[in-house]
Amino acid sequence: MTTTGTPAGVRAPRVGSVVSLVPSLTEAVAATEPTLLTGATDWCDRPAGLEVTRVRGTKNPDLERIVALAPDLVLANEEENRPADLAALRSAGLSLLVTEVRTLAQAFSELHRVLTAGCGLPRPGWLDAAEEAWHGARRELDARAVVPIWRRPWMVLGRDTFAGSLLTHLGVRNVYAGHAERYPRVPLAELCRPERADLVVLPDEPYRFAPDDGPECFPALPAALLSGRHLTWYGPSLVEAPRELGAALAAALR
């Protein structure tokens, strides 16, 4: 993906200001050196109380406001942000670092790249702690899961997703991991067939599944209600994610 010109693995000179268009990257930078952040999306709610200029959403950023902030670096993601918006920021003369994260291993390497090669920061201790936490995660589970991410229409995790990678590391196999699409639309009647899966995994983002909104559609399957931040964010949440996700999944399968 697009980088700032510094070779991978090399710590660049520290930048003075950063605008982040990705909530998980916002949290990662803030946890490492919060003074660097000058702008972030309206969806960047971690850490709590973050005081920066808000630049609307990931899909509809306020390009004029971002350009006016004149950041040294804009952080983006190839899935969360639209190519046309990123092209417009480049045309305005801004430097972008665009991440691609579809596996747990990619998350660790891209976080290192963002913070060291991108922002010019020393590798943070929380990133080492996250790698250790996942290296020590035990695959005690052995289950097949359907993982809806939206309803009306129903959509699920398909192939090559970061969340799917995390579940695999915990011993939960995504039923639709071999699907041709990354986020296929699947009829509910097919999703809730008990012979296809051992449980249904319902994260609270992007759709906010809740105890009274989702599990009732899968009466034959136990439901694991998971934190979307732990399942879909790559940043400091990765430190506690294997423990939090593992506990919720195990509880649903009891």
Side-chain angles (χ1 to χ4, degrees):
M1 301 310 297
T2 304
T3 185
T4 56
T6 302
V10 176
R11 181 177 166 187
R14 176 170 162 172
V15 300
S17 62
V18 172
V19 168
S20 172
L21 302 181
V22 184
S24 54
L25 293 180
T26 299
E27 184 180 23
V29 174
T32 307
E33 183 47 77
T35 61
L36 288 187
L37 284 168
T38 56
T41 73
D42 297 349
W43 298 103
C44 295
D45 57 2
R46 294 294 183 117
L50 181 66
E51 295 184 2
V52 295
T53 299
R54 298 296 174 165
V55 295
R56 291 204 304 248
T58 58
K59 306 297 186 187
N60 65 334
D62 188 330
L63 301 179
E64 291 186 2
R65 180 170 290 184
I66 296 171
V67 172
L69 287 172
D72 296 319
L73 181 65
V74 176
L75 299 177
N77 174 264
E78 52 89 26
E79 181 175 32
E80 294 196 49
N81 306 117
R82 301 187 307 170
D85 293 326
L86 303 185
L89 293 173
R90 290 192 192 96
S91 296
L94 297 185
S95 178
L96 274 65
L97 192 158
V98 184
T99 61
E100 177 179 320
V101 177
R102 301 191 182 189
T103 67
L104 180 59
Q106 275 186 311
F108 292 134
S109 62
E110 288 288 68
L111 284 166
H112 179 85
R113 183 168 74 98
V114 165
L115 298 170
T116 61
C119 297
L121 298 171
R123 181 180 169 91
W126 64 259
L127 186 51
D128 291 329
E131 290 208 52
E132 291 173 6
W134 279 98
H135 180 73
R138 299 167 61 185
R139 297 191 187 187
E140 296 180 342
L141 305 174
D142 182 14
R144 303 161 301 155
V146 170
V147 192
I149 57 167
W150 202 259
R151 62 183 301 180
R152 306 183 191 96
W154 286 95
M155 301 174 67
V156 299
L157 290 184
R159 63 173 179 82
D160 299 334
T161 66
F162 173 63
S165 177
L166 263 59
L167 291 172
T168 297
H169 275 267
L170 295 172
V172 175
R173 302 182 301 282
N174 173 17
V175 169
Y176 290 94
H179 198 281
E181 299 178 23
R182 297 186 67 211
Y183 303 105
R185 296 185 182 189
V186 182
L188 179 60
E190 178 180 331
L191 293 180
C192 62
R193 286 163 50 193
E195 69 273 16
R196 290 187 59 82
D198 303 305
L199 80 161
V200 57
V201 171
L202 299 170
D204 61 11
E205 63 176 79
Y207 185 90
R208 191 174 292 278
F209 287 107
D212 60 350
D213 186 358
E216 76 284 354
C217 296
F218 301 87
L221 292 174
L225 291 158
L226 302 186
S227 157
R229 175 170 168 266
H230 289 119
L231 184 63
T232 65
W233 287 36
Y234 45 97
S237 59
L238 286 171
V239 176
E240 57 194 30
R243 180 182 68 252
E244 297 292 329
L245 297 175
L249 291 165
L253 289 167
R254 290 192 188 117

